[in-house]
Amino acid sequence: MANIVFNVALGRLAQYGDLSAAADSLIAVPFAAAGLPTDATMRDYATLAAVKGGATEQTTLGRKTLANVTVTVDNTNDRVAIDCDDIVWTATSGAAIGAVVICYKPDTASADSAVIPMTKHDVAMTPDGTDYTLKVTDFARTSSAA
């Protein structure tokens, strides 16, 4: 589950997760462990371009489009859960990973300045040529106290 939800995405997670636009998607973007800003700093970034201005994207692994995204309203526990298939990188290489940021991409042609960071997940992984699977169980949950 997420370590932080970016301020710009608070209250919008379920909307973005529903993927209601014609060409929108959720993407996972890996970031190098070296030089990651604090969560307090990161949560204020409003675009993927801003996140990349404060942290280094690990481009060797590449971005992944999330598959089978589901949004579940859980009235019993008063929350919404957003889930997807596990994320797999094959034949990993490049710099060590310290975080994966899941973003809402409004359109396939969206520039990073239009991509909205939703959640940041602490991930400690050193690429070694093998496949790496990031296990996902509800990458985000939101709830309210009544």
Side-chain angles (χ1 to χ4, degrees):
M1 193 145 37
N3 293 91
I4 64 169
V5 174
F6 288 80
N7 289 335
V8 71
L10 290 171
R12 297 184 192 180
L13 288 175
Q15 173 192 353
Y16 293 148
D18 273 338
L19 299 173
S20 57
D24 62 347
S25 61
L26 297 182
I27 59 172
V29 182
F31 283 88
L36 274 176
T38 65
D39 287 352
T41 297
M42 253 184 139
R43 73 174 11 106
D44 292 335
Y45 297 143
T47 67
L48 179 55
V51 175
K52 289 173 53 178
T56 302
E57 181 178 356
Q58 207 280 28
T59 57
T60 307
L61 287 179
R63 300 174 182 187
K64 293 289 186 175
T65 300
L66 303 188
N68 297 313
V69 177
T70 59
V71 176
T72 304
V73 176
D74 180 348
N75 290 322
T76 301
N77 293 303
D78 299 323
R79 66 184 180 208
V80 171
I82 305 172
D83 195 17
C84 67
D85 289 350
D86 292 345
I87 304 166
V88 179
W89 283 276
T90 57
T92 60
S93 63
I97 299 303
V100 171
V101 174
I102 295 179
C103 302
Y104 174 74
K105 190 172 182 179
D107 186 82
T108 53
S110 296
D112 288 349
S113 60
V115 175
I116 299 168
M118 294 174 46
T119 58
K120 177 233 177 200
H121 306 263
D122 291 338
V123 175
M125 187 268 279
T126 300
D128 61 3
T130 62
D131 295 351
Y132 177 76
T133 300
L134 181 60
K135 300 285 187 187
V136 179
T137 305
D138 294 346
F139 74 79
R141 286 186 193 154
T142 58
S143 62
S144 66

